[in-house]
Amino acid sequence: MNVLKGPLTFIPKIISGMCQDVIFYKTKNFGTRVNNEISLLVIHNISLPPKIFGDSYIERFFLNSLPVDKHPYFLEIQNLEVSSHFCIKRDGTVVQFVSCLDKAWHAGVSLYKGREKCNEFSIGIELEGADDIPYTDAQYQSLKYLTLSLRQSYPNIKDNITGHSNIAPTRKTDPGIAFDWERFWNSIK
Ligand SMILES: [Zn+2]
């Protein structure tokens, strides 16, 4: 596999749930989709420690290997077993953790257009970031190409793309006010 650093510059292919030309770190935090029809894209943010960018702690969190001595916050979250299908780092680098064919654990208790348990039918993309800090151009670029790719492979996604805060409004605020939805929608027209 070619490991691509930095933003995507083309629409990557997805073969058997695996996005080609991006980094893949296999986590054990996933399950089998009960309903295999992928029909939603959920956009999130995460940063570890909060609002600190550039380390590999997100990756280590999803791989259950967070070094708890490095930051007090890590102690609070060390026993959570979570994941997303993709994370887009500040420099646009895309990392995949779970096959699109499997269920990542990103949405939690959630509701989209009357359907509960969004993990069952969604793809989760984490942007390395925080609610009130602008995302990078490189992230918007990678998100555009990744979204176009996912839509090609899973056409039922269509315009069913939303933020975590929209499917779990009492618990979650991500991707936050900093995420420019208009810019994103224009980029995938
Ligand atoms: Zn989230």
Side-chain angles (χ1 to χ4, degrees):
M1 183 187 295
N2 292 323
V3 172
L4 201 68
K5 281 290 227 174
L8 291 170
T9 56
F10 56 90
I11 301 175
K13 284 194 168 51
I14 295 174
I15 301 173
S16 301
M18 301 300 298
C19 187
Q20 307 299 296
D21 300 307
V22 307
I23 300 166
F24 180 64
Y25 293 135
K26 186 168 174 52
T27 176
K28 64 179 185 63
N29 302 343
F30 68 93
T32 303
R33 292 187 191 275
V34 175
N35 173 356
N36 212 7
E37 176 222 351
I38 297 165
S39 53
L40 175 64
L41 198 57
V42 181
I43 297 174
H44 303 257
N45 74 38
I46 186 172
S47 49
L48 292 175
K51 300 199 176 192
I52 305 290
F53 307 141
D55 289 311
S56 58
Y57 295 129
I58 301 168
E59 292 90 321
R60 298 185 67 174
F61 180 44
F62 289 165
L63 298 172
N64 305 325
S65 63
L66 205 53
V68 292
D69 55 321
K70 297 285 190 203
H71 193 279
Y73 182 64
F74 296 170
L75 264 174
E76 292 178 34
I77 61 171
Q78 63 172 327
N79 292 319
L80 297 179
E81 292 186 334
V82 295
S83 62
S84 65
H85 294 90
F86 297 98
C87 178
I88 303 177
K89 307 297 295 279
R90 299 299 285 186
D91 70 352
T93 298
V94 178
V95 183
Q96 183 169 6
F97 296 91
V98 174
S99 165
C100 295
L101 303 182
D102 288 322
K103 174 173 67 177
W105 298 340
H106 58 97
V109 176
S110 50
L111 181 71
Y112 180 76
K113 292 185 178 175
R115 300 174 73 188
E116 296 182 318
K117 298 183 181 175
C118 295
N119 284 340
E120 294 291 344
F121 54 92
S122 70
I123 299 284
I125 300 177
E126 297 274 1
L127 301 172
E128 184 183 20
D131 288 3
D132 55 353
I133 298 175
Y135 297 92
T136 68
D137 291 343
Q139 287 180 303
Y140 283 106
Q141 184 174 321
S142 287
L143 182 60
K144 164 186 147 178
Y145 287 119
L146 182 57
T147 301
L148 292 172
S149 173
L150 290 164
R151 267 180 162 175
Q152 280 181 4
S153 291
Y154 311 108
N156 288 332
I157 290 174
K158 297 182 183 129
D159 284 339
N160 295 303
I161 305 172
T162 194
H164 198 188
S165 58
N166 195 45
I167 61 169
T170 60
R171 298 186 302 115
K172 297 294 178 179
T173 58
D174 60 317
I177 54 167
F179 187 71
D180 188 339
W181 282 100
E182 189 177 1
R183 175 178 180 171
F184 168 67
W185 283 116
N186 283 331
S187 75
I188 59 166
K189 267 182 187 167

